[in-house]
Amino acid sequence: RKTVMVKLLVCGDIVCKESWEKLAARVRELQKSAHGPFDLLLLCGSVYELDSVDKILEDTELPILTYCLMKSLNGERSIDTKTANLKMLGPLDFGIVTVPELNNLTIAYLNSSSILTSNAIIDAAKAFAAAGKGCDVLLTADWPKDMHHFVDESELRILSTNNIGIGSGSKLSAAIACALKPRYHFVGGKKCFYQRPPYRNTSTNGVPSPC
C-alpha cells in the first residue's frame, strides 16, 4: 500500500450540546492554522445523548470527516446518523473499517470493555492481523490492562498523577492491541491525558506481552 500522510485530530468526552459546538469551532480554527489542514477527526470518549445526535447537530456542521465510538453517556446506542461528515463505529461492539477517502486507512474499534463474546472478538482480531492487512488506528472504550509494564520510574510517576490505578484497565483491550499491533491506539473516557512512550509488542513462548 502506498504511503500517504494522514493528519488526525482526536477528541475525548463530549459532555453536553455546547461541547459539540466548541468542538466544531475548534476544528475550524485548526484547519486554518499552520498545523492544518487535517483529514480526519476521531471521537474516542463518551458522547452526550448519542442517540439524539442528529437533532443536537441540526445547527452545527462538523468541518471534516468524523468517526465516533458508539459510547454514550446515557447508555443508549445510536445505530445510524444522517449528520454530514459523521460516521458511527458500530453497532457491533468490535469491528474494523477502512476509510476509502484516506487511502483505505484502517480503524479498529472496541465499543465496550465488558463483552461476553470476547474470545470471538480476539479471534477476529487475530484473523485480521494474520491476513497481513495491518491496523493504522485502534480506538477502545478502556485502556489496556497493565499498559504500565516496561515503562521507567519517571513514567510511572507521571501515570500515577492521573489518579488511575496502576495495572487497571481491560484485558480485552490489551488482547486486541497485542493481536492487531496498531500504529496508534487512543482511549477516551478517563478525564485525563496520558501519552505512553512508544512500545513494540513482543511475545514470550507464544504469549503476547502486556502492552
Side-chain angles (χ1 to χ4, degrees):
R1 189 173 60 168
K2 181 181 178 182
T3 300
V4 176
M5 174 70 75
V6 176
K7 301 180 75 172
L8 306 179
L9 291 171
V10 182
C11 178
D13 293 348
I14 299 177
V15 298
C16 61
K17 182 178 185 297
E18 289 72 24
S19 293
W20 282 109
E21 297 168 354
K22 291 178 181 178
L23 173 64
R26 180 60 175 152
V27 172
R28 283 192 289 270
E29 289 178 6
L30 289 171
Q31 287 296 85
K32 299 175 183 178
S33 73
H35 303 289
F38 292 87
D39 302 297
L40 185 67
L41 170 63
L42 300 175
L43 306 181
C44 61
S46 296
V47 177
Y48 168 75
E49 292 192 2
L50 184 60
D51 54 318
S52 304
V53 68
D54 283 343
K55 183 176 181 180
I56 292 172
L57 292 176
E58 280 180 341
D59 301 319
T60 302
E61 180 181 355
L62 294 173
I64 60 177
L65 183 62
T66 302
Y67 278 75
C68 177
L69 270 184
M70 291 172 60
K71 183 182 178 185
S72 174
L73 287 175
N74 60 5
E76 298 295 328
R77 287 284 185 88
S78 174
I79 295 177
D80 200 4
T81 175
K82 297 180 176 62
T83 299
N85 281 337
L86 181 63
K87 295 183 181 294
M88 297 296 181
L89 293 169
L92 299 177
D93 284 310
F94 170 75
I96 301 172
V97 301
T98 59
V99 186
E101 302 93 328
L102 299 177
N103 197 41
N104 289 325
L105 178 87
T106 56
I107 302 173
Y109 63 88
L110 181 66
N111 276 314
S112 173
S113 58
S114 56
I115 300 172
L116 296 178
T117 56
S118 58
N119 288 337
I121 287 175
I122 294 171
D123 289 343
K126 289 179 177 178
F128 183 85
K133 298 179 180 179
C135 177
D136 296 308
V137 178
L138 172 62
L139 305 178
T140 59
D142 200 355
W143 62 13
K145 183 174 177 56
D146 296 329
M147 51 82 74
H148 67 287
H149 280 193
F150 313 119
V151 300
D152 59 30
E153 289 297 325
S154 62
E155 280 296 322
L156 279 177
R157 286 194 293 272
I158 294 172
L159 182 57
S160 298
T161 61
N162 290 314
N163 295 318
I164 296 175
I166 298 296
S168 65
S170 163
K171 290 183 179 179
L172 182 55
S173 293
I176 289 185
C178 286
L180 292 177
K181 298 178 176 60
R183 292 174 176 84
Y184 298 94
H185 184 178
F186 298 104
V187 182
K190 292 297 184 182
K191 296 181 173 59
C192 70
F193 175 81
Y194 175 72
Q195 181 175 343
R196 191 197 189 284
Y199 67 90
R200 183 184 298 276
N201 274 310
T202 59
S203 61
T204 303
N205 297 324
V207 180
S209 299
C211 301

